Amino acid sequence: MQDGEVIIERRGTAGVIGLNRPRALNSLTLPMIRTITAALQDFVDDPEVVSVAMMGEGERGFCAGGDIRALHESARTGDGLAASFWREEFRLNHLIASYPKPYVALMDGITMGGGVGLSSHGRHRIVTERTRLAMPETGIGYVPDVGATWLLPRAPGEAGTWLGLTGLDIGAADAIHARLADLQIASSRLGEAIDALSALPRASSSGDVDVVLQALSEPQGESRLRQNAAVIDRAFRFDSVEEILAALVGEEGEFAAETRRVMLTRSPTSMKLALRLLRAGRRSASLAECLGRELGACLQMLDNPDFFEGIRAAVIDKDRNPKWSPASVEAVEAARIEHFLKPAEPPLSL
């Protein structure tokens, strides 16, 4: 398939899936998720395919996440699309995490939200000098999903908590430090990577894929998260957003000040719920457990005023000035957070 929103092809022994909505930063729609899922299943059954590579068309982004305009409209009209989107997206995330053939994600450019779900669960995660990775959901009145509550707690120290609460974007070195990526390859050499994968013999293994990718890799720069690890670990070790914000006041330096300034612009409800989900994810035994918990929270988001307000401010009116309700973390009632933790009905089927 060479047209449409997803391009699917076999090049030699490599299956290649290209997200093809470059003007929308390759943001995901439900038909795209279904097409990708079917392609991955077909490649598993194809004896000629050794590995599968996922990439984004255009030069700006791998994938900016789900099409939040469509999700906003679905939540407004109650047509059920948002619930179907999340269920099928989460099943796709789980498929990628358990994929039996080497899965290579080329995370070139913007890789956010659902884009992290398409990449960081894979076996071979490649970033470039253009990568900007984030889970920005607290800025739109939503919460980290697509299995992020499994991935982020497994970053070193409290780096994942920082990522999940602030929603700030990071580059290649930080993505590797946070264990969301493995190698850096120059964007100009990604075509070489695909060519090398396509030339692998049918008997090749995941180790052979590693050799190919390592040969094209380059050293990453300094990680800002690593440099500020002590501050992050001290401030974000607490289990309440109020305590984290208070701890940041006591930290010296611009990094802590910037972190606190950003957090004060995020949805208070989203931050408190995100922290609960991240801490639960740290205790969880599997990705499937986290995805199921996230789905329950997502379905409750369909009645959350901050979800509508955050998307309005970010992509509809674009005034970048959301009015959160409630407006402070202190005003978010514990019962409200418990409401979001209701199990999905029916449960997520994986």
Side-chain angles (χ1 to χ4, degrees):
M1 295 174 57
Q2 294 297 318
D3 55 8
E5 294 182 336
V6 182
I7 298 172
I8 302 163
E9 58 182 320
R10 182 159 63 79
R11 302 187 199 175
T13 58
V16 181
I17 301 174
L19 309 178
N20 192 33
R21 295 185 72 206
R23 293 182 64 182
L25 296 175
N26 298 317
S27 59
L28 295 169
T29 64
L30 182 55
M32 290 172 71
I33 288 170
R34 290 172 174 168
T35 301
I36 295 165
T37 300
L40 288 173
Q41 292 167 341
D42 288 344
F43 285 141
V44 167
D45 296 331
D46 188 339
E48 299 296 323
V49 172
V50 170
S51 65
V52 176
M54 179 77 72
M55 59 187 291
E57 299 296 327
E59 297 184 351
R60 295 176 60 203
F62 169 69
C63 175
D67 187 335
I68 57 176
R69 281 182 178 271
L71 294 175
H72 178 274
E73 181 64 14
S74 176
R76 190 182 66 81
T77 62
D79 64 7
L81 181 144
S84 296
F85 177 91
W86 287 322
R87 286 183 183 276
E88 297 193 38
E89 182 184 31
F90 291 5
R91 283 198 286 266
L92 174 57
N93 301 145
H94 193 265
L95 172 62
I96 290 169
S98 58
Y99 201 62
K101 292 185 177 181
Y103 178 95
V104 182
L106 304 177
M107 305 155 69
D108 186 32
I110 291 174
T111 303
M112 297 185 179
V116 175
L118 287 183
S119 53
S120 292
H121 292 298
R123 202 179 308 176
H124 308 273
R125 294 98 41 98
I126 306 304
V127 285
T128 77
E129 77 284 356
R130 301 191 297 197
T131 298
R132 301 309 303 173
L133 183 149
M135 294 301 298
E137 289 80 8
T138 58
I140 58 167
Y142 189 53
V143 287
D145 63 350
V146 298
T149 62
W150 171 258
L151 293 167
L152 295 180
R154 283 150 186 84
E158 296 293 343
T161 313
W162 181 91
L163 284 164
L165 294 189
T166 68
L168 289 169
D169 63 282
I170 58 174
D174 283 332
I176 293 171
H177 171 73
R179 300 173 186 158
L180 299 171
D182 303 302
L183 296 173
Q184 180 170 336
I185 295 177
S187 58
S188 61
R189 303 194 73 183
L190 294 181
E192 290 180 62
I194 295 290
D195 289 344
L197 292 171
S198 68
L200 283 171
R202 280 182 56 184
S204 299
S205 66
S206 183
D208 297 315
V209 172
D210 271 328
V211 170
V212 163
L213 298 174
Q214 287 279 0
L216 294 168
S217 69
E218 60 185 14
Q220 68 268 15
E222 286 294 320
S223 165
R224 187 177 182 224
L225 293 183
R226 186 191 299 275
Q227 291 171 336
N228 291 281
V231 172
I232 292 171
D233 292 351
R234 282 194 301 267
F236 284 82
R237 72 183 188 272
F238 299 102
D239 291 333
S240 76
V241 177
E242 293 92 333
E243 289 176 293
I244 291 171
L245 289 169
L248 287 167
V249 172
E251 294 288 344
E252 296 181 357
E254 179 55 26
F255 180 85
E258 176 197 10
T259 294
R260 190 172 189 278
R261 282 197 301 269
V262 168
M263 289 179 64
L264 291 175
T265 70
R266 301 320 196 203
S267 161
T269 301
S270 292
M271 285 195 297
K272 297 199 88 167
L273 177 56
L275 185 58
R276 279 289 297 276
L277 292 169
L278 290 168
R279 293 300 188 248
R282 180 174 286 172
R283 299 187 297 269
S284 295
S286 68
L287 168 62
E289 185 180 337
C290 291
L291 287 169
R293 188 183 298 113
E294 290 172 10
L295 178 62
C298 292
L299 295 178
Q300 297 302 324
M301 279 288 163
L302 297 175
D303 296 319
N304 178 26
D306 277 7
F307 181 58
F308 293 90
E309 174 63 6
I311 295 176
R312 179 206 64 76
V315 301
I316 297 176
D317 297 337
K318 298 182 179 179
D319 59 29
R320 308 292 178 183
N321 188 30
K323 305 298 183 185
W324 305 122
S325 178
S328 69
V329 292
E330 293 80 8
V332 179
E333 297 178 355
R336 179 170 176 77
I337 300 304
E338 294 300 325
H339 171 76
F340 287 104
L341 299 175
K342 293 179 180 179
E345 189 58 46
L348 182 64
S349 172
L350 297 172

